[in-house]
Every structure is written in structure tokens, then in C-alpha cells.
Amino acid sequence: MRLRVTLLLSLVLALGACATPPTGTTPAPSPASVTATFEGDATRPSQAQGWVRSELYFGVGTEGDAASNISEAQWRAFLDKEVTPRFPDGLTVFDAYGQWLFRGKDGPERLNSKVLVILHEDSPQRRADIEAIRLAWKQATHHQSVLWSRQPAEVSF
């Protein structure tokens, strides 16, 4: 009996190894073939090196201080005038909340914020564009700073 069960299992395993995929199915392509078949362009390369993810943090209102609020219309006008001309290929904006401890104050200052995310080539021109945006915001709002965080990014479009 044991010999018969062993032979039956061996036969099932052997036949399973010979099975072919059902008609109409295609095996998944390898990652190398996917990369090789997609071609990007200069603006949207299939894979790009030397890019960074820049995040800019803009305060748009201090909690409890209605006079400090930047309206959505003012924010959009700023984007249209200062950001979009410098980075016309795209950007992302998140609404955020943050806080920081101001020295000499009893508690943290709480801020409504906008986080602007831009993926761009790491070049002197792009860094100058980011600095121009930060300066324009500080001049328009009289804020002391715009936090800029940047990190290397692997991108693929």
C-alpha cells in the first residue's frame, strides 16, 4: 500500500511539472524587459538619475491669529506666479499642520502649512529656482523662513 501511494504521488508531481500555462495567459515580463521596452523623453525619462525630491514648507496661518491667514486664493496666485513658471512639468501640494517651540514663549507656535513637493534635476538652475520661490514667499508674506528639505530621488515616469 505504501509503495502504491508513493508511486501515485510521484506520478502527480511529474505530471504537474510538465503542465503548461492555460491558453491565453502570458507569463509576467521580467523587470529588465519592462525597462527595456519603455522609452521616455528628456522631460519624462524612463529612469532618471541625478534627481532630487524638494519639499518646501510654507506657513499659511498661525493658530489663534486670523490676521496671519493666507487665503486659498492667495496661495493659488502665488503658485501661478512664482512656482508654475519655474516648474511647469508638475508639482504636488499637501495641506499640513505643524508646530515649533519659539524661544521665550510658554508653548509651541502652531501653524497651518502647505507642503510643496517638486521632483527635479539636481542642477544649479533648479536650486536657484527653489531659492527664488523661497525668497518670493518671504517677501510677499513677511515670513522669516520657508523650510527646504531635499533628498536624492530615483524617479521613473
Side-chain angles (χ1 to χ4, degrees):
M1 177 76 166
R2 198 174 244 194
L3 180 61
R4 214 184 278 176
V5 171
T6 304
L7 286 173
L8 182 60
L9 283 174
S10 298
L11 180 62
V12 168
L13 290 173
L15 289 174
C18 296
T20 58
T23 306
T25 63
T26 306
S30 70
S33 66
V34 170
T35 302
T37 58
F38 177 78
E39 292 183 24
D41 58 37
T43 306
R44 291 168 289 283
S46 60
Q47 286 192 317
Q49 296 181 3
W51 282 51
V52 295
R53 173 189 169 116
S54 285
E55 295 178 1
L56 300 172
Y57 294 77
F58 299 86
V60 293
T62 303
E63 185 178 84
D65 181 8
S68 71
N69 289 339
I70 306 295
S71 72
E72 191 65 26
Q74 290 170 308
W75 170 254
R76 296 279 174 119
F78 177 80
L79 282 179
D80 291 346
K81 180 180 178 193
E82 301 294 342
V83 181
T84 302
R86 291 180 173 94
F87 295 96
D89 291 327
L91 54 91
T92 302
V93 176
F94 297 101
D95 288 321
Y97 165 84
Q99 66 183 37
W100 63 291
L101 188 57
F102 184 71
R103 293 180 189 191
K105 207 173 172 192
D106 291 337
E109 184 168 335
R110 294 181 169 94
L111 300 169
N112 292 318
S113 305
K114 298 281 188 182
V115 179
L116 173 64
V117 178
I118 305 171
L119 296 167
H120 59 89
E121 292 178 72
D122 190 14
S123 68
Q125 180 58 54
R126 297 292 88 172
R127 289 190 296 275
D129 289 336
I130 295 288
E131 282 298 338
I133 291 166
R134 295 174 71 201
L135 180 61
W137 182 258
K138 290 188 284 187
Q139 289 176 340
T141 62
H142 305 290
H143 289 181
Q144 293 178 345
S145 67
V146 174
L147 174 65
W148 178 12
S149 169
R150 60 186 223 128
Q151 55 193 325
E154 291 184 29
V155 301
S156 176
F157 297 91

